[in-house]
Amino acid sequence: MNQSIHSNESRRRWGERPYHSLDYALKSAYGQKLYKIALNGGCTCPNRDGTIGKRGCIFCSEGGSGEFASSASLTIEQQLEQGKALIKNKYKGGGYIAYFQAFTNTYAPLAYLTDIFTRTIADPEVKVLSIATRPDCLGEDVLSLLSSLQRQKPVWVELGLQTIHPESATFIRRGYDLPVFERAVLELARRRIFVIVHVILFLPGESKDQMMDTLGFLNRLPIWGIKLQLLHVLQNTDLAEYYQAHPFKIPSMEEYFEVLGACIARLNPETVIHRLTGDGPKDLLIAPLWTGRKRMVLNRFHAYLKHHDIWQGKNFMKTD
C-alpha cells in the first residue's frame, strides 16, 4: 500500500462518500443498485439446539436475527416472489441479493443446503447469494458446495465475529475461539468466496482501544466486506434481561460517531463497508433509541466525517 491512499483522488474514489460503501461497490460491479431479499432457510443453530448452547448469543432474538426474513413455511420461490413484491414500487432494476439471514444457514444436511441454494440462484434476477453462518459450521463438504455455487454466481458468506477479545466473546456466548474464525476466513478466501464480517461496537466493558484492536486484526485477513454495528438491546433477548439487572453504558450518538469514525480511518481502504449502525426492529428496540432514525443518523455521521476530515484508510498505513 502506498501513500496514494491519502491523496484527494483516493478520498473521492468511492463516489459521494469518504468510504468504500456497498452501494458504490454494487453500482461499480453491476451498473445498478441491488436490493436484498431476506430469506429463511429453515435452519437452526448449534448455539441453540444444545450442541454448543441452548440460548444462542446473548443479543440474539427469537427469530435468530432474522426479523426481516420471510417465513420458513414458504418455499424459496415463494419467499423470493414475496420479497420482490414488497419493493416493486420503489425498485425497477430487476437485480437482487438473496440473503439467507435467520439463524445459521450452513447448519443442515448437505443435500438440503444444496437444494435450497441451487433453487435460489436459479432465479435469473438473483445476482448474488449471501449466506449468514458461523465459522464453526463450514466443514469441507459445505466449503466444496459453496465453491461450486461461486462458479455460477457470486457467493457472500457472512460471519459473526463481533470481537477478538475472549472476555467479550464469553459474555456474548459466541461459542467458538478466534482461531476457528481465522481458519474459516482463510478457507473461504482460498476458494475466492467473498467474506463479510460482523463487528459489534460498544460491547459492555470494551474500551475504544479494544475495538480498534478488532479492526487491526481484520485488516490482516483477506476479508471483502465488514458490517459495523452498535450493540442493540432488543426485547425478548437475554441481553435485555442483563441490561435491566446490570445497566451498562449506552453511547450517545456523538460518542458512537467518534469511535465509528476512528474505525473507518483505521480500516483497510479496500474493504467494503456494508453497515454503519444496524437495523434493530423499532418495535423491539430498547436501547439506544436514537438508532431508530437511521436516515438522520447517517446524514449526521457523513457530516461528522466531513467536518473532521476523516476517510477510510486515513490511518491504515500508520497502524497495519
Side-chain angles (χ1 to χ4, degrees), residues 162 199-204 206 211-212 214-215 227-232 251 256 259-261 263 276:
Q162 321 307 0
V199 172
I200 294 180
L201 302 175
F202 284 92
L203 288 170
E206 281 206 357
M211 291 181 252
M212 293 302 105
T214 295
L215 267 290
K227 288 186 173 181
L228 296 164
Q229 177 166 326
L230 175 59
L231 181 66
H232 284 64
Y256 184 62
V259 171
L260 186 59
C263 287
L276 290 171

Side-chain angles (χ1 to χ4, degrees), residues 6-32:
H6 295 305
S7 68
N8 288 333
E9 180 182 355
S10 293
R11 291 166 62 186
R12 291 193 298 266
R13 65 179 172 172
W14 304 296
E16 299 176 355
R17 297 169 183 166
Y19 56 87
H20 195 166
S21 69
L22 176 61
D23 182 69
Y24 177 82
L26 290 175
K27 288 178 179 176
S28 298
Y30 297 96
Q32 64 174 337

Side-chain angles (χ1 to χ4, degrees), residues 188-203:
L188 290 166
R190 186 166 68 86
R191 293 166 173 81
R192 301 182 183 276
I193 294 167
F194 297 85
V195 180
I196 304 164
V197 180
H198 293 231
V199 172
I200 294 180
L201 302 175
F202 284 92
L203 288 170

Side-chain angles (χ1 to χ4, degrees), residues 72-91:
S73 63
L74 301 177
T75 67
I76 293 299
E77 293 79 7
Q78 289 172 332
Q79 291 185 51
L80 286 169
E81 290 307 310
Q82 183 183 73
K84 294 175 187 179
L86 289 173
I87 58 176
K88 66 179 180 180
N89 292 329
K90 63 179 180 179
Y91 179 59

Side-chain angles (χ1 to χ4, degrees), residues 269-310:
E270 303 303 324
T271 302
V272 178
I273 296 177
H274 289 235
R275 178 184 292 166
L276 290 171
T277 59
D279 292 311
K282 293 181 180 180
D283 58 334
L284 298 178
L285 184 62
I286 296 174
L289 292 176
W290 57 262
T291 61
R293 301 172 63 189
K294 182 177 179 180
R295 185 176 296 277
M296 178 273 292
V297 171
L298 289 176
N299 287 340
R300 290 191 180 182
F301 181 62
H302 292 154
Y304 174 89
L305 294 177
K306 183 177 181 179
H307 177 74
H308 292 277
D309 195 30
I310 295 172

Side-chain angles (χ1 to χ4, degrees), residues 37-245:
I37 298 176
L39 304 175
N40 191 327
C43 297
T44 181
C45 176
N47 209 3
R48 286 177 176 266
D49 69 1
T51 302
I52 295 174
K54 292 186 177 181
R55 298 188 63 82
C57 294
I58 195 170
F59 52 77
C60 197
S61 63
E62 294 178 354
S65 298
E67 282 76 19
F68 301 109
S70 299
S71 169
S73 63
L74 301 177
T75 67
I76 293 299
E77 293 79 7
Q78 289 172 332
Q79 291 185 51
L80 286 169
E81 290 307 310
Q82 183 183 73
K84 294 175 187 179
L86 289 173
I87 58 176
K88 66 179 180 180
N89 292 329
K90 63 179 180 179
Y91 179 59
K92 308 297 181 183
Y96 299 94
I97 301 166
Y99 180 28
F100 283 88
Q101 181 181 25
F103 299 103
T104 302
N105 292 285
T106 58
Y107 189 60
L110 186 66
Y112 178 78
L113 297 176
T114 303
D115 178 57
I116 61 172
F117 294 155
T118 301
R119 285 160 54 199
T120 300
I121 64 173
D123 187 320
E125 292 187 305
V126 170
K127 306 301 181 184
V128 175
L129 174 65
S130 184
I131 301 167
T133 189
R134 294 171 56 90
D136 53 356
C137 294
L138 290 168
E140 186 62 35
D141 56 346
V142 173
L143 289 169
S144 296
L145 169 61
L146 298 179
S147 181
S148 174
L149 296 169
Q150 169 71 14
R151 291 192 287 270
Q152 301 173 60
K153 290 185 179 180
V155 175
W156 300 353
V157 172
E158 302 196 12
L159 302 175
L161 171 66
Q162 321 307 0
T163 179
I164 65 169
H165 301 289
E167 298 84 358
S168 298
T170 298
F171 171 75
I172 64 175
R173 303 196 302 246
R174 191 178 66 192
Y176 67 82
D177 295 327
L178 194 58
V180 175
F181 169 83
E182 190 169 6
R183 284 195 298 271
V185 171
L186 295 176
E187 289 297 324
L188 290 166
R190 186 166 68 86
R191 293 166 173 81
R192 301 182 183 276
I193 294 167
F194 297 85
V195 180
I196 304 164
V197 180
H198 293 231
V199 172
I200 294 180
L201 302 175
F202 284 92
L203 288 170
E206 281 206 357
S207 67
K208 180 179 177 180
D209 285 345
Q210 287 179 303
M211 291 181 252
M212 293 302 105
D213 288 343
T214 295
L215 267 290
F217 171 79
L218 292 175
N219 277 341
R220 297 188 290 273
L221 289 177
I223 69 170
W224 173 68
I226 190 168
K227 288 186 173 181
L228 296 164
Q229 177 166 326
L230 175 59
L231 181 66
H232 284 64
V233 182
L234 300 179
Q235 294 180 25
N236 306 319
T237 63
D238 287 355
L239 182 61
E241 294 182 11
Y242 180 88
Y243 180 62
Q244 184 176 16

